[in-house]
Amino acid sequence: TQLLEQSPQFLSIQEGENLTVYCNSSSVFSSLQWYRQEPGEGPVLLVTVVTGGEVKKLKRLTFQFGDARKDSSLHITAAQPGDTGLYLCAGARPTGNQFYFGTGTSLTVIP
Amino acid sequence: DAGITQSPRHKVTETGTPVTLRCHQTENHRYMYWYRQDPGHGLRLIHYSYGVKDTDKGEVSDGYSVSRSKTEDFLLTLESATSSQTSVYFCATGQGALDTEAFFGQGTRLTVV
């Protein structure tokens, strides 16, 4: 069992639709990051959230850190084919030097 | 972009043989990480380093060892490869731990037959 569980695992939607990806844990994290990975490449950082309840926006992407710092969500408005990819959350525990990655959500946006 | 180079990019090896993967960075980042990526598991940390000759285990360290003799190089060794170690391996670096950005290499696809 992994520390961070993401849902859904796979998501296929039409261009223009909205979607939300969830990242959940029973553990508290001091910070949480979201990465996006394209086929054949390594993940690339989208955002870092560090305060419980924090909301950050990156164009059509909205990221929220749960009040208790145990979960996070990524909402995409009016999805575009260029949003297609694997979305990964990653969290840092309050102690230690490890980053734990979530199980990943594979998003396909159909034109 | 941080300069992170993984070699080799692809490798096929036989069960029971030793394998070493190399990660080289040009950014002088203190932290370096090795992850493996498997379907349905996201990225799982194998080992990480917080300085030259300073390493520690991650979630899935059994069957793997690492070494870091220079800031820029982090080696991952599979002492005796098994089919369960067939995976895509990613190296990452960071200036600090925890909430700073991690920069990833392009990955090494390893197949153990």
Side-chain angles (χ1 to χ4, degrees):
Chain A
T1 303
Q2 289 191 232
L3 209 53
L4 286 165
E5 295 286 338
Q6 288 183 235
S7 61
Q9 185 175 359
F10 298 97
L11 189 56
S12 181
I13 62 171
Q14 295 290 329
E15 182 177 359
E17 293 184 348
N18 302 331
L19 67 112
T20 301
V21 176
Y22 299 93
C23 175
N24 295 300
S25 177
S26 57
S27 300
V28 174
F29 291 89
S30 58
S31 66
L32 203 136
Q33 298 182 333
W34 284 92
Y35 289 79
R36 180 166 164 264
Q37 182 180 19
E38 297 194 15
E41 302 291 331
V44 176
L45 181 68
L46 295 173
V47 76
T48 300
V49 286
V50 298
T51 305
E54 182 176 2
V55 176
K56 280 192 174 180
K57 293 191 175 183
L58 186 66
K59 297 183 180 179
R60 295 176 292 100
L61 278 61
T62 302
F63 305 86
Q64 183 163 9
F65 201 9
D67 292 340
R69 293 185 292 141
K70 293 182 178 181
D71 54 82
S72 181
S73 64
L74 158 61
H75 182 78
I76 300 178
T77 303
Q80 299 178 359
D83 295 327
T84 293
L86 179 68
Y87 289 82
L88 294 156
C89 63
R93 295 297 313 282
T95 58
N97 295 309
Q98 298 191 23
F99 252 109
Y100 295 92
F101 276 82
T103 47
T105 294
S106 179
L107 171 65
T108 302
V109 181
I110 303 167
Chain B
D1 290 332
I4 304 167
T5 305
Q6 290 185 230
S7 59
R9 293 292 315 278
H10 302 271
K11 186 171 182 65
V12 179
T13 191
E14 293 186 349
T15 299
T17 60
V19 176
T20 296
L21 309 182
R22 179 177 182 246
C23 178
H24 178 79
Q25 59 140 332
T26 59
E27 297 299 313
N28 200 34
H29 287 168
R30 177 183 175 189
Y31 289 83
M32 297 187 76
Y33 308 85
W34 276 108
Y35 290 90
R36 60 178 288 174
Q37 185 171 37
D38 305 289
H41 291 280
L43 288 160
R44 291 181 290 175
L45 182 64
I46 305 171
H47 282 279
Y48 67 100
S49 169
Y50 46 95
V52 173
K53 296 186 180 179
D54 292 323
T55 65
D56 206 349
K57 297 179 179 180
E59 303 169 78
V60 290
S61 59
D62 288 347
Y64 302 95
S65 62
V66 290
S67 66
R68 191 170 179 200
S69 59
K70 298 185 291 185
T71 298
E72 57 267 35
D73 290 325
F74 194 31
L75 303 180
L76 175 70
T77 298
L78 288 66
E79 303 290 347
S80 178
T82 66
S83 58
S84 64
Q85 293 177 311
T86 292
S87 185
V88 180
Y89 291 85
F90 284 97
C91 172
T93 73
Q95 292 176 317
L98 306 181
D99 61 351
T100 56
E101 180 175 359
F103 298 89
F104 284 82
Q106 291 189 300
T108 295
R109 181 172 295 277
L110 176 68
T111 302
V112 183
V113 298

